[in-house]
Amino acid sequence: CRMQIPKEEVRQAILSAAEEEILQTGYRSCSIRSIAARAGISPGNIYAYFSGKEEILDCILRPALGGIHGVMESPFPEGSPGEMVRQVTGRLAEVFLRYKRPCLILAARVEGTPYEPVKEQLGREIAARAYKELLPHFPQASRTRLLAEMMGDAFLYGMLRLLKQEPEDEGQMRRALESFLELMCGILRQDAAG
């Protein structure tokens, strides 16, 4: 009897089918059977590649989370507040575009999983970075944790809204985010005045 060697193409087809299924129905409602049907394989064949739908979800989300955390953990670039925002925004736009479907899954389709609190945690991380590294460039009266939290929430929800609108490329996303931030807190206008 000849043993079938798992192929990377089949593994990727399963992950792609799972992304689509989870985006459409949510993690709770999707099943190995529905993922297999979408991938065009038998449900039993999935177990040659994954232990179950939890492992599939991990494989979908881990690279996106790694990319986001990589940007969040890197130091803010030197320069004016506007230049700092432009560079960090560009890096985040690249990650969000590269991992669009996993980011959308994290945003709204992971109810009942260990990933459910990730969106709120990410908002808190963005707020902490804004408070520590961005707000010191603003007048003292503006340097509040509440403003940083509002900025974190607004940025995260704005980014997710933009992803849902199908941006054509990184440049379009970057321009939309820069305009959004300019309107939100006047960072870029502050550069022009300074």
Side-chain angles (χ1 to χ4, degrees), residues 12-39:
Q12 289 306 315
I14 294 168
L15 290 173
S16 181
E19 283 180 351
E20 290 300 320
E21 188 66 24
I22 294 168
L23 276 172
Q24 262 188 7
T25 65
Y27 179 78
R28 276 191 179 164
S29 297
C30 83
S31 66
I32 292 293
R33 183 174 303 286
S34 63
I35 293 168
R38 193 179 284 268

Side-chain angles (χ1 to χ4, degrees), residues 167-178:
E168 293 176 18
D169 59 27
E170 183 184 336
Q172 180 187 14
M173 180 177 274
R174 188 186 304 235
R175 287 186 301 277
L177 285 171
E178 286 176 5

Side-chain angles (χ1 to χ4, degrees), residues 100-173:
K100 178 183 177 174
R101 294 188 311 176
C103 288
L104 290 172
I105 289 169
L106 271 170
R109 300 312 227 160
V110 290
E111 185 178 319
T113 74
Y115 293 102
E116 192 171 1
V118 167
K119 185 172 65 172
E120 285 73 26
Q121 290 169 349
L122 183 56
R124 286 192 301 273
E125 287 177 33
I126 293 170
R129 291 293 301 270
Y131 184 77
K132 180 180 174 189
E133 299 180 52
L134 188 61
L135 289 185
H137 296 276
F138 284 82
Q140 184 66 36
S142 299
R143 298 180 200 171
T144 66
R145 290 205 184 274
L146 178 59
L147 177 59
E149 289 168 6
M150 291 167 55
M151 290 172 69
D153 289 345
F155 179 83
L156 185 58
Y157 286 98
M159 177 68 85
L160 294 172
R161 169 88 174 156
L162 185 58
L163 280 175
K164 290 177 187 176
Q165 296 301 310
E166 302 282 337
E168 293 176 18
D169 59 27
E170 183 184 336
Q172 180 187 14
M173 180 177 274

